[in-house]
Amino acid sequence: MDAQLALLCALTFVIHLIGALAYAARIAGVRTRRIAVSFALFNVLILISRASNSFQGPFLGKRIELSLAQGAGGHLLGDFRWLLMSATVAAVAGALSVPTFQRIFSRAVQHFQVHRSLPKLLLHGFARGGLSYIRDSVTVPSVSHLTGLRREVGVPVSVILLNIGAQTLLTVGVFAALYAGYLDPRFRVTAVSLSSVINGVATILLFVFIDPHLSVMTDDVMDGRTSEASFRRAVVWLSASRVAGTLLAQIMLLPAAAAIAVIARSI
């Protein structure tokens, strides 16, 4: 693995880790009863994710262009495998970090509620007291959360399956489109443009079927109609389905790239 590929893997890791930590922000919002503030603070991490995404695209595109120009693109499939593995590692790390980050988010929400200043919050986070709290907040998922999964899923199976599909499309979409451009360089611009269609389908699945259900469940917890334990079980299942989606993306990479290449030639 060369330095450029290592950088691309790091950017991919950051993008998918932050996406996985969205569940921690929801739990923090439920516990502090400040859901809007919790998501507002989480948007700071979203900015980091989008910045990483902005750098990832040009770097990866340049890598493919150089491979086409030099006629040495045999390594590209292996490169994409590494990138997809980085996404899986990030999803696993995010799932394991939910207990830690929900504590950190809860403390950040409480601090922001008092001082109402994001710069002060960031300075506090890097001060000695903030760093000490972050260190003390580090924890591993409770075994009781895992054993509780056998009693109740906490979320409909259909939502879990839809989340697997959505995460698969989001993970593989851009990579498959870029690899399709390598498979048929004549239509590589068209192929790359088709990635927005794939991401659009995934976004529809998330915003129409998955996120509304989780939002209703969040409100039910706030109103006392659903227990926090059930909500945490739902988060565990959704985190696991996110990991499953990134693993399925490994299988879908070549078929998706071939299909995109065919569509690019046909339209």
Side-chain angles (χ1 to χ4, degrees), residues 16 77 80-81 83-85 87-88 164-173 175-176 241-257:
H16 286 269
L77 181 59
F80 284 119
R81 296 296 186 194
L83 293 170
L84 291 173
M85 182 57 66
T88 300
I164 292 175
Q167 298 303 331
T168 300
L169 293 176
L170 285 174
T171 304
V172 80
F175 297 151
S241 65
R242 189 182 189 93
V243 175
T246 62
L247 290 172
L248 185 57
Q250 289 275 9
I251 300 174
M252 294 301 298
L253 176 61
L254 283 178

Side-chain angles (χ1 to χ4, degrees), residues 13-37:
F13 181 88
V14 170
I15 293 168
H16 286 269
L17 176 65
I18 292 176
L21 292 179
Y23 301 128
R26 283 188 180 273
I27 296 176
V30 167
R31 290 199 164 183
T32 60
R33 297 301 191 261
R34 295 288 187 272
I35 293 178
V37 175

Side-chain angles (χ1 to χ4, degrees), residues 64-240:
I64 295 174
E65 293 288 347
L66 289 177
S67 298
L68 288 171
Q70 298 168 0
H75 62 88
L76 287 177
L77 181 59
D79 291 353
F80 284 119
R81 296 296 186 194
W82 277 108
L83 293 170
L84 291 173
M85 182 57 66
S86 299
T88 300
V89 172
V92 173
L96 296 176
S97 300
V98 166
T100 297
F101 274 88
Q102 65 92 6
R103 288 175 170 81
I104 296 173
F105 277 127
S106 297
R107 180 64 176 268
V109 169
Q110 294 168 356
H111 186 279
F112 186 83
Q113 197 69 28
V114 174
H115 299 282
R116 310 214 170 189
S117 171
L118 187 56
K120 285 184 179 180
L121 174 60
L122 294 175
L123 289 174
H124 175 71
F126 289 102
R128 181 179 298 178
L131 293 175
S132 297
Y133 182 80
I134 292 174
R135 184 184 64 249
D136 295 339
S137 297
V138 175
T139 184
V140 296
S142 173
V143 177
S144 61
H145 292 167
L146 299 178
T147 56
L149 296 178
R150 292 178 294 183
R151 297 194 306 268
E152 182 183 357
V153 174
V155 65
V157 175
S158 59
V159 173
I160 295 174
L161 294 177
L162 286 172
N163 196 44
I164 292 175
Q167 298 303 331
T168 300
L169 293 176
L170 285 174
T171 304
V172 80
V174 174
F175 297 151
L178 287 169
Y179 193 63
Y182 166 75
L183 295 177
D184 194 340
R186 298 171 301 165
F187 301 100
R188 61 179 179 271
V189 175
T190 305
V192 171
S193 300
L194 287 171
S195 66
S196 61
V197 178
I198 300 174
N199 289 338
V201 173
T203 302
I204 290 172
L205 291 176
L206 287 173
F207 288 162
V208 175
F209 299 103
I210 302 165
D211 195 63
H213 179 86
L214 195 56
S215 297
V216 169
M217 195 170 188
T218 303
D219 289 340
D220 287 344
V221 175
M222 296 286 290
D223 295 336
R225 291 193 293 268
T226 300
S227 67
E228 286 193 22
S230 295
F231 185 71
R232 286 194 297 270
R233 282 194 292 271
V235 167
V236 172
W237 278 104
L238 289 173
S239 297

